[in-house]
Amino acid sequence: MKILVTGFDPFGDDKINPAIEAVKGLPDQIAGAEIVKVEIPTVFGDCATVVHDAIVREKPDYVLNIGQAGGRFALTPERVAINFDDGRIADNKGYQPIATPIHEDGQNAYFTQLPVKAMVKAIREAGLPALVSTTAGTFVCNHIMYQVQYMIDKEFHDLKAGFMHIPFLPEQVVARPETPSLSLADDVKGITAAITAIVEMDGKPDLQSVEGHIA
Amino acid sequence: MKILVTGFDPFGDDKINPAIEAVKGLPDQIAGAEIVKVEIPTVFGDCATVVHDAIVREKPDYVLNIGQAGGRFALTPERVAINFDDGRIADNKGYQPIATPIHEDGQNAYFTQLPVKAMVKAIREAGLPALVSTTAGTFVCNHIMYQVQYMIDKEFHDLKAGFMHIPFLPEQVVARPETPSLSLADDVKGITAAITAIVEMDGKPDLQSVEGHIA
Amino acid sequence: MKILVTGFDPFGDDKINPAIEAVKGLPDQIAGAEIVKVEIPTVFGDCATVVHDAIVREKPDYVLNIGQAGGRFALTPERVAINFDDGRIADNKGYQPIATPIHEDGQNAYFTQLPVKAMVKAIREAGLPALVSTTAGTFVCNHIMYQVQYMIDKEFHDLKAGFMHIPFLPEQVVARPETPSLSLADDVKGITAAITAIVEMDGKPDLQSVEGHIA
Amino acid sequence: MKILVTGFDPFGDDKINPAIEAVKGLPDQIAGAEIVKVEIPTVFGDCATVVHDAIVREKPDYVLNIGQAGGRFALTPERVAINFDDGRIADNKGYQPIATPIHEDGQNAYFTQLPVKAMVKAIREAGLPALVSTTAGTFVCNHIMYQVQYMIDKEFHDLKAGFMHIPFLPEQVVARPETPSLSLADDVKGITAAITAIVEMDGKPDLQSVEGHIA
């Protein structure tokens, strides 16, 4: 089995992005699966091009995109991506879409094929906080998750894909009081646990555990 | 113009639900529009039946469903509803769906027809905190928002609809330390401001303001 | 019985201070006690002069100073004031003390004479969140609480005094996302409940309820 | 120079306490100072006996007590200890004091002799979040900080001492959603940085930096 794992480069006021740092720190094999690591730009559109090229080149069984979610306390696999770009800030090329669909001919939303409940269980068993999330926001993180699902819909029908957000690093919250963080070592441990769950659940339905949200 | 506004009854450990209390407190006319108020049960399926009956009976131009979002700090109009029920607790009839689609023949998600950016602007101008949300959760709030959109898709093509979450009341956080709340009077004021925006923006596109989320 | 209640004027970036607004909104009598209301400046030293003059003039049985605690979720009577000024910002006259004792001949700290546990119980029974706090910070709020205790120590031996913090108003958090607030009406209701508890507990020891903090 | 560093054993519902785990992980020398590590019980009174014995035996120049502050985001050196025990839960011997002075003949409060502003600066330079705190709570953490200061007041006049709180470990927040944590490795790194600041500031006044709190 081959798993393509991507991480975004730094954006906004931050000089570092835990996503790409954690991806770089992953081993080359997890639970017997080959891990292919790719850095992608924090740029609407361009990030999808890079992932598309990597899928064509590597022919992975799974794609897992990793992104930073400043303010979150836990590792959060995403349930769903929506057909909607709405930038709070501009991307790394200066583009800031406002309330724009990603693809006119795409579904309103796509659900991940990843076993997100098994992933949060595995991360917790590794001693780290995890929650299933039902929003990936409206910036590049939701964008790349949606774009890969759109590729599955239109082109790579057998591919399975999803997204996981990770918190700020401790060094990023030095000047952001009362903001949660998680260490890079724990990011690597948590992503490894999540990928192990993906490999072990391959071909099986996700767990039927209670992970819902009131709101 | 006629606007149907609904509120859920209490659920879980709470004896009161700010949603129905606030709806009851609305005036019968807002910005010239007639306001029809309906209480709906915190029950998957049943809540949709009650709203469907009210739409048939009242023939409203808009439907605005109101629900409680414990833990949120602000009034939060919702951008999108997903085709997904996943109960963290059972509903008021004891039913707790796990990772179930709401309608097999529905879209994966529906976007609201309401001008959510204009609504948050109006709420803020009334002196209250507001944010556009991109997740209504996976309990009855997302369920009713999705169900009404499904009715629009299949039956009431000219109807416009959406959902707004409101925080706990102060009395609900007496035994929940470090949890935000908003008073009933402010809920009524905020919903009134949001409905005023709906009326004033009728027939116009939503504002192009910056309200996106990184995650 | 006569109770002197003070509130600070606005400071920092805020055009309004819930403290003085809430104090102005109190009735002139609470539980049979006469309420004397005084606005005090957000200025180290000067605020104490104004309170001292009011004590001499009014001869109150109790002093209750009210101040804003941005970021807190509840009404929080303070347990203790420390002999320590340390400004995060300058006061309204531009003075910003750094790690300075308030009075060289004062105690390191003074405990309030108010029944803070009875006060939080009364506020909760009024349907509002309340917690006993063990820090009034290091700005003018702790300063005035300490100054009045110092006056009791040195001059007004029979006076009883204390301080209560109240959250931001909703209008103050419109541009401060994820920040809790409480309405002005609820501030008035909560302070009234707290003063009622002060009157009813006069001459009695405070409740022996569990209100401690791990940290 | 010799520095006695203590950590509490687990209490309440937790099977692990980051305080003693982090203390055990410290090197035996930091910035040239000898580090003596002592585990102390989460028991009012007893913890002070253990520290007193260690001071008599080891004759340290400094005492730094470390304790867990569940819910805090940062490493937080404490400014002040108050003469006040008020248990939210019982200690590990089942004793739960309510609003009791620690020593009838002690000061109302004692300020630390540690350079807390230099300590937070050093921790931040190590890439970790840090804030000066002005409350150590009312449980055993404030108790031991007060007790050691009382020993300085009455017996060990040349000793310098203080307390630092550290957040939950990630494994402690797996079942506590929306609660911040810090890894054990980062606790060790942060405490090491703080102790380095203590050694380097020995004999000098603390930094005059801006670290105050409004409330």
Side-chain angles (χ1 to χ4, degrees):
Chain A
M1 190 184 305
K2 189 188 276 192
I3 304 181
L4 174 66
V5 187
T6 76
F8 282 105
D9 61 5
F11 64 91
D13 296 330
D14 286 287
K15 300 259 161 59
I16 191 169
N17 189 327
I20 184 56
E21 299 305 320
V23 169
K24 281 185 208 161
L26 293 175
D28 294 326
Q29 280 229 347
I30 296 178
E34 181 186 352
I35 306 301
V36 178
K37 311 167 194 175
V38 172
E39 179 166 343
I40 62 177
T42 297
V43 176
F44 289 98
D46 288 7
C47 60
T49 304
V50 174
V51 174
H52 185 273
D53 290 352
I55 293 171
V56 169
R57 184 177 69 242
E58 299 287 346
K59 298 182 176 44
D61 300 284
Y62 286 91
V63 173
L64 175 62
N65 304 112
I66 304 290
Q68 163 189 301
R72 291 200 186 167
F73 296 76
L75 295 108
T76 50
E78 296 292 343
R79 169 70 67 191
V80 63
I82 60 176
N83 191 4
F84 193 70
D85 284 340
D86 201 29
R88 186 175 64 71
I89 59 172
D91 70 15
N92 283 354
K93 276 195 174 169
Y95 174 57
Q96 183 173 9
I98 296 293
T100 309
I102 300 172
H103 284 288
E104 293 291 351
D105 67 340
Q107 298 290 317
N108 287 338
Y110 293 108
F111 291 101
T112 185
Q113 294 81 22
L114 301 186
V116 289
K117 291 185 177 183
M119 290 162 73
V120 298
K121 181 166 183 280
I123 296 168
R124 290 173 191 155
E125 286 172 358
L128 298 170
L131 289 173
V132 177
S133 168
T134 46
T135 177
T138 60
F139 194 52
V140 292
C141 291
N142 173 76
H143 180 89
I144 194 62
M145 183 179 173
Y146 184 89
Q147 288 273 26
V148 177
Q149 291 294 331
Y150 179 84
M151 295 176 208
I152 291 175
D153 189 17
K154 303 295 185 189
E155 186 175 2
F156 309 119
H157 302 300
D158 294 331
L159 183 65
K160 296 165 192 167
F163 192 96
M164 187 159 72
H165 271 113
I166 59 177
F168 279 135
L169 296 173
E171 67 188 89
Q172 294 180 286
V173 301
V174 164
R176 291 176 167 114
E178 309 296 296
T179 307
S181 64
L182 206 63
S183 73
L184 186 57
D186 284 337
D187 285 334
V188 171
K189 185 160 70 167
I191 296 170
T192 301
I195 290 174
T196 302
I198 291 170
V199 174
E200 290 177 352
M201 298 295 286
D202 184 52
K204 300 175 200 159
D206 194 7
L207 302 180
Q208 293 289 296
S209 52
V210 174
E211 296 289 347
H213 298 283
I214 303 291
Chain B
M1 190 184 305
K2 190 188 277 193
I3 303 181
L4 175 64
V5 187
T6 77
F8 283 104
D9 61 4
F11 64 92
D13 296 329
D14 286 286
K15 301 259 160 60
I16 192 169
N17 189 327
I20 184 56
E21 300 305 320
V23 169
K24 281 184 208 162
L26 293 175
D28 294 326
Q29 279 228 346
I30 295 177
E34 181 186 353
I35 306 300
V36 179
K37 311 167 194 175
V38 173
E39 178 167 343
I40 62 177
T42 297
V43 177
F44 289 99
D46 288 7
C47 61
T49 305
V50 175
V51 174
H52 186 272
D53 290 353
I55 293 171
V56 169
R57 185 178 68 243
E58 299 286 348
K59 297 181 178 46
D61 301 283
Y62 286 90
V63 174
L64 175 63
N65 304 114
I66 305 289
Q68 164 189 302
R72 291 201 187 166
F73 295 78
L75 295 108
T76 49
E78 296 292 344
R79 168 71 65 191
V80 64
I82 59 175
N83 191 4
F84 193 70
D85 284 341
D86 201 29
R88 186 174 64 71
I89 60 172
D91 70 15
N92 283 354
K93 277 196 172 169
Y95 173 58
Q96 185 173 7
I98 296 292
T100 309
I102 300 172
H103 285 289
E104 292 291 350
D105 67 339
Q107 299 289 318
N108 286 340
Y110 293 108
F111 291 101
T112 185
Q113 295 79 23
L114 301 186
V116 291
K117 291 185 175 182
M119 292 163 72
V120 299
K121 180 165 184 280
I123 297 168
R124 290 174 191 154
E125 285 172 358
L128 298 170
L131 290 173
V132 177
S133 168
T134 46
T135 177
T138 59
F139 194 52
V140 293
C141 290
N142 174 75
H143 180 89
I144 194 63
M145 182 178 174
Y146 184 89
Q147 288 274 25
V148 178
Q149 291 295 331
Y150 178 85
M151 295 176 207
I152 292 174
D153 189 16
K154 303 295 186 189
E155 187 176 1
F156 309 119
H157 302 300
D158 294 333
L159 183 64
K160 296 164 193 168
F163 191 96
M164 187 159 72
H165 271 112
I166 59 177
F168 279 134
L169 295 172
E171 67 189 87
Q172 295 179 285
V173 302
V174 164
R176 291 176 167 112
E178 308 297 297
T179 306
S181 64
L182 206 65
S183 73
L184 187 56
D186 284 337
D187 285 335
V188 171
K189 185 161 69 166
I191 296 170
T192 301
I195 291 174
T196 302
I198 291 169
V199 174
E200 292 178 352
M201 297 295 288
D202 183 53
K204 300 174 201 160
D206 194 7
L207 302 180
Q208 294 287 297
S209 52
V210 174
E211 295 291 346
H213 298 283
I214 301 290
Chain C
M1 191 185 304
K2 189 188 277 192
I3 303 181
L4 175 64
V5 187
T6 77
F8 282 104
D9 61 5
F11 65 92
D13 295 329
D14 286 287
K15 299 261 161 58
I16 191 168
N17 189 326
I20 184 57
E21 299 305 320
V23 169
K24 281 185 206 160
L26 293 175
D28 294 326
Q29 280 229 346
I30 296 176
E34 180 187 352
I35 306 301
V36 178
K37 310 166 195 175
V38 172
E39 179 167 342
I40 62 177
T42 297
V43 176
F44 290 98
D46 288 8
C47 61
T49 304
V50 174
V51 175
H52 186 272
D53 290 353
I55 294 170
V56 169
R57 185 179 67 242
E58 299 287 347
K59 298 181 178 45
D61 301 283
Y62 286 90
V63 174
L64 175 63
N65 304 112
I66 305 290
Q68 163 190 301
R72 291 200 186 167
F73 295 77
L75 294 108
T76 49
E78 296 292 343
R79 170 70 66 191
V80 63
I82 60 175
N83 191 6
F84 193 71
D85 285 341
D86 201 30
R88 187 175 62 73
I89 59 172
D91 70 15
N92 283 354
K93 276 196 172 169
Y95 174 58
Q96 184 173 9
I98 297 293
T100 309
I102 301 172
H103 285 289
E104 293 291 350
D105 67 339
Q107 298 289 318
N108 286 340
Y110 293 107
F111 292 102
T112 185
Q113 295 80 22
L114 301 185
V116 289
K117 291 185 176 182
M119 291 162 73
V120 298
K121 181 166 183 280
I123 296 168
R124 289 174 191 156
E125 286 172 358
L128 298 169
L131 289 173
V132 178
S133 168
T134 46
T135 178
T138 59
F139 194 53
V140 292
C141 291
N142 174 75
H143 180 89
I144 194 62
M145 183 179 174
Y146 184 90
Q147 288 274 25
V148 177
Q149 291 294 331
Y150 179 85
M151 294 176 207
I152 292 174
D153 188 17
K154 304 295 186 188
E155 186 177 2
F156 309 120
H157 303 300
D158 294 332
L159 184 64
K160 296 165 192 168
F163 192 97
M164 188 159 72
H165 270 114
I166 60 177
F168 279 134
L169 296 173
E171 67 188 86
Q172 294 178 286
V173 302
V174 164
R176 290 175 168 114
E178 308 297 295
T179 307
S181 64
L182 207 64
S183 73
L184 187 57
D186 283 337
D187 285 334
V188 171
K189 185 161 69 166
I191 296 170
T192 301
I195 290 174
T196 302
I198 291 169
V199 174
E200 291 177 352
M201 297 296 286
D202 184 52
K204 301 174 201 160
D206 194 6
L207 303 179
Q208 294 289 295
S209 51
V210 173
E211 297 289 347
H213 298 284
I214 301 290
Chain D
M1 190 185 305
K2 190 188 276 192
I3 303 180
L4 174 65
V5 187
T6 78
F8 282 105
D9 61 5
F11 64 91
D13 296 329
D14 286 287
K15 300 259 160 60
I16 191 170
N17 190 326
I20 184 55
E21 299 305 321
V23 169
K24 280 184 207 162
L26 293 175
D28 294 326
Q29 279 228 348
I30 296 177
E34 181 187 351
I35 305 301
V36 179
K37 310 167 194 175
V38 173
E39 178 166 344
I40 63 177
T42 296
V43 176
F44 289 98
D46 288 8
C47 61
T49 304
V50 174
V51 175
H52 186 271
D53 289 355
I55 294 170
V56 169
R57 186 177 67 242
E58 298 286 348
K59 298 182 177 46
D61 301 283
Y62 286 90
V63 174
L64 175 63
N65 304 112
I66 304 290
Q68 164 189 302
R72 290 200 187 167
F73 295 76
L75 295 107
T76 50
E78 297 291 345
R79 168 71 65 192
V80 64
I82 60 176
N83 191 4
F84 193 70
D85 285 340
D86 201 29
R88 186 174 64 72
I89 59 172
D91 70 15
N92 283 353
K93 276 196 172 168
Y95 174 58
Q96 184 173 10
I98 297 292
T100 309
I102 300 172
H103 285 290
E104 293 291 351
D105 67 339
Q107 298 290 317
N108 287 339
Y110 292 107
F111 292 102
T112 186
Q113 294 81 24
L114 301 185
V116 290
K117 292 185 175 182
M119 291 162 72
V120 299
K121 180 165 183 281
I123 297 168
R124 289 174 191 155
E125 287 172 357
L128 298 169
L131 290 172
V132 177
S133 168
T134 47
T135 178
T138 61
F139 194 52
V140 294
C141 290
N142 174 74
H143 180 89
I144 194 62
M145 182 179 174
Y146 185 90
Q147 288 274 26
V148 177
Q149 291 295 331
Y150 178 85
M151 295 176 207
I152 292 174
D153 189 16
K154 303 296 184 189
E155 188 176 0
F156 308 118
H157 303 300
D158 295 333
L159 184 65
K160 296 165 193 168
F163 192 96
M164 187 159 73
H165 271 114
I166 59 177
F168 279 134
L169 296 172
E171 66 188 87
Q172 294 180 286
V173 302
V174 165
R176 291 176 167 113
E178 309 297 296
T179 306
S181 64
L182 206 64
S183 73
L184 187 57
D186 283 337
D187 285 334
V188 171
K189 185 160 70 167
I191 297 170
T192 301
I195 291 174
T196 302
I198 292 170
V199 174
E200 291 178 351
M201 297 295 287
D202 184 53
K204 300 174 201 161
D206 194 7
L207 303 179
Q208 293 288 297
S209 52
V210 173
E211 296 289 346
H213 298 284
I214 301 291

